[in-house]
Amino acid sequence: MSANPVPVNRPKRLLSIDGGGLLGLIPAEALIQIEQQLNNLTGKEEPLCNRFDLIGGTSTGAILAAGFALGLKATELRDFYLNFGPQIFTKSFLPVRFWHSYPSGPLENKLRDVLGASASLGSDQLRTQIMIVAKNATLGNDWFFTNNPKNRFFQQNSGLPLWQIVRCSSAAPTYFPPATMSIPDGTGKSQTYEFIDGGVSSYNNPAFQVFLEATIPAYGHGWPMGTDQLLLLSLGTGFNSSTIAEGQAAHYELIDWGRYVVKEMMNEANLQQNVLMHLIGQRPPNVPSAMTEAVSSGAASGVPSDDALSQVGDTLGATKLVTYQRITVGLTRQRLDNLQLNDIDPMKVREMDAADQINNMQRIGQAIAKEQVHMELLKKFF
């Protein structure tokens, strides 16, 4: 068995963490508060791998998901960004930067150090179920790596190094080179594929896929649905609209458009996933809506309000399938001012590779954790 067995007679708890590079500090700080508050509420200290039955992540979220599954504390994973972020995001030599900005060596070395070189996807070192999103560039499709023994791909993937799967998930185009991994084909042979960041898909916010992974029997779990049976916490890395100053788009070069497309795909996927989860999910009482956050922060326009989504659900006669909370923030001037972070430049802090903004990213994460993490409202699930 690759992870602790999930107790049958209690609600299932799911955790989903977005991609976003160094902005992973925002969910990392929220997770510190989640861990501490759950320890206080339950009267016992336990790592988050004992609190959640399935943890899913994309890109930087995959780093956090894998670390938690191995039993690391939230503070240890937060420190990964603080200690190693500047080393990982050090520019490549100019000729190489034509293809990507950063070498993969520092990232790979730190992933091996933190996650361990020996831990595989099927290793007993993993103490809860995980799902990591990557895109197979060779085949042009999305791959969901999981340690669920009932998953139909588990046997051929179980021996893959965990750190290497995370590297595949975090190979953001224009930032890092693709990751190469050899996958057994089930016949004693292997096929080598190139992988890129799972965020270059609809799953930079993997919340809906985490929900499907947990509930659809074909994926191997088939856990019961319902607001009293299932909790999903979804943690974002902040969102914003990627604007281009008037007259500047005509001067964009290929690498400029490449980065623009990557960021916009992440933003659009985050909003789409959140709309889906609001349609099927019910917020805990007194918890602010991420949809309201998107609109009121000025980071999104044309997004349906909670009332509008509720009306759609009522019209369809839809039954809510999961208790759902989204924790995130709009990285705009208006929203940062609202958080009393007037000195932080939203244009600088929203860049996923802005190593000089690490301290500001941490401050935003701490402010959001204080504002939005209230685990006493979810005590019945724990």
Side-chain angles (χ1 to χ4, degrees):
M1 186 71 177
S2 61
N4 291 335
V6 178
V8 176
N9 297 318
R10 67 152 171 77
K12 303 303 183 292
R13 290 105 55 150
L14 317 177
L15 180 64
S16 173
I17 313 171
D18 289 13
L22 291 173
L23 287 160
L25 271 165
I26 295 175
E29 288 291 344
L31 287 157
I32 290 173
Q33 274 300 307
I34 290 170
E35 185 178 83
Q36 291 176 350
Q37 289 183 23
L38 286 175
N39 287 344
N40 293 335
L41 284 170
T42 61
K44 54 184 177 181
E45 291 194 9
E46 290 189 353
L48 289 179
C49 62
N50 292 353
R51 305 290 191 187
F52 290 92
D53 304 306
L54 172 61
I55 304 177
T58 301
S59 194
T60 201
I63 296 173
L64 293 168
F68 286 126
L70 289 168
L72 296 179
K73 294 182 178 180
T75 52
E76 293 178 288
L77 288 166
R78 184 270 317 275
D79 290 347
F80 174 87
Y81 294 90
L82 297 180
N83 295 335
F84 305 132
Q87 299 174 39
I88 292 170
F89 287 95
T90 297
K91 296 288 185 181
S92 294
F93 290 112
L94 189 58
V96 181
R97 288 177 59 188
F98 183 80
W99 292 280
H100 51 264
S101 294
Y102 306 102
S104 60
L107 174 60
E108 292 175 358
N109 291 336
K110 298 309 177 185
L111 289 177
R112 274 193 294 260
D113 289 345
V114 173
L115 303 179
S118 64
S120 66
L121 186 64
S123 170
D124 288 337
Q125 295 177 59
L126 290 171
R127 296 163 57 182
T128 193
Q129 299 292 330
I130 60 169
M131 185 202 77
I132 294 174
V133 184
K135 178 173 282 291
N136 186 320
T138 305
L139 298 179
N141 52 27
D142 304 314
W143 282 33
F144 307 108
F145 292 95
T146 176
N147 61 332
N148 177 7
K150 296 180 180 179
N151 184 278
R152 66 191 181 105
F153 297 110
F154 175 75
Q155 290 301 322
Q156 66 190 70
N157 293 339
S158 62
L160 298 175
L162 182 65
W163 75 265
Q164 198 168 4
I165 295 172
V166 174
R167 162 73 175 101
C168 289
S169 180
S170 55
T174 76
Y175 293 91
F176 295 105
T180 302
M181 189 160 58
S182 182
I183 310 291
D185 62 7
T187 68
K189 298 179 181 179
S190 296
Q191 176 70 47
T192 299
Y193 301 105
E194 286 185 302
F195 289 86
I196 58 174
D197 197 309
V200 189
S201 70
S202 297
Y203 305 103
N204 188 62
N205 172 352
F208 189 65
Q209 186 62 35
V210 169
F211 169 79
L212 295 178
E213 194 78 30
T215 58
I216 302 300
Y219 283 120
H221 285 306
W223 292 334
M225 291 182 251
T227 57
D228 291 327
Q229 296 293 320
L230 201 63
L231 168 69
L232 196 159
L233 287 182
S234 173
L235 277 70
T237 56
F239 57 89
N240 59 272
S241 297
S242 297
T243 58
I244 301 175
E246 183 179 354
Q248 293 302 306
H251 302 288
Y252 263 35
E253 299 177 354
L254 288 177
I255 194 166
D256 298 318
W257 283 119
R259 291 199 168 193
Y260 177 85
V261 168
V262 169
K263 288 190 289 185
E264 272 303 279
M265 183 172 289
M266 289 180 176
N267 289 333
E268 296 299 328
N270 290 344
L271 288 171
Q272 180 191 57
Q273 294 287 313
N274 206 41
V275 168
L276 288 172
M277 291 307 304
H278 272 73
L279 282 171
I280 67 171
Q282 176 177 292
R283 285 198 328 277
N286 303 315
V287 168
S289 164
M291 301 306 298
T292 302
E293 167 82 20
V295 176
S296 65
S297 69
S301 61
V303 178
S305 67
D306 268 345
D307 289 341
L309 290 175
S310 295
Q311 290 173 9
V312 172
D314 292 342
T315 302
L316 296 174
T319 299
K320 297 299 185 180
L321 305 178
V322 58
T323 293
Y324 169 73
Q325 182 182 354
R326 174 77 167 163
I327 297 173
T328 191
V329 60
L331 297 175
T332 66
R333 176 75 278 149
Q334 177 182 342
R335 188 64 173 100
L336 294 182
D337 288 347
N338 178 258
L339 291 169
Q340 306 301 310
L341 299 173
N342 312 73
D343 61 310
I344 296 178
D345 184 343
M347 298 299 293
K348 293 181 179 179
V349 81
R350 64 178 56 164
E351 297 297 330
M352 59 186 286
D353 60 340
D356 63 327
Q357 296 294 310
I358 282 179
N359 290 336
N360 286 334
M361 293 174 184
Q362 182 182 15
R363 291 171 59 204
I364 294 172
Q366 290 169 341
I368 289 303
K370 182 178 180 181
E371 179 188 72
Q372 299 184 25
V373 177
H374 302 286
M375 298 308 293
E376 70 277 3
L377 301 176
L378 300 169
K379 185 176 180 179
K380 69 177 183 179
F381 289 99
F382 296 92

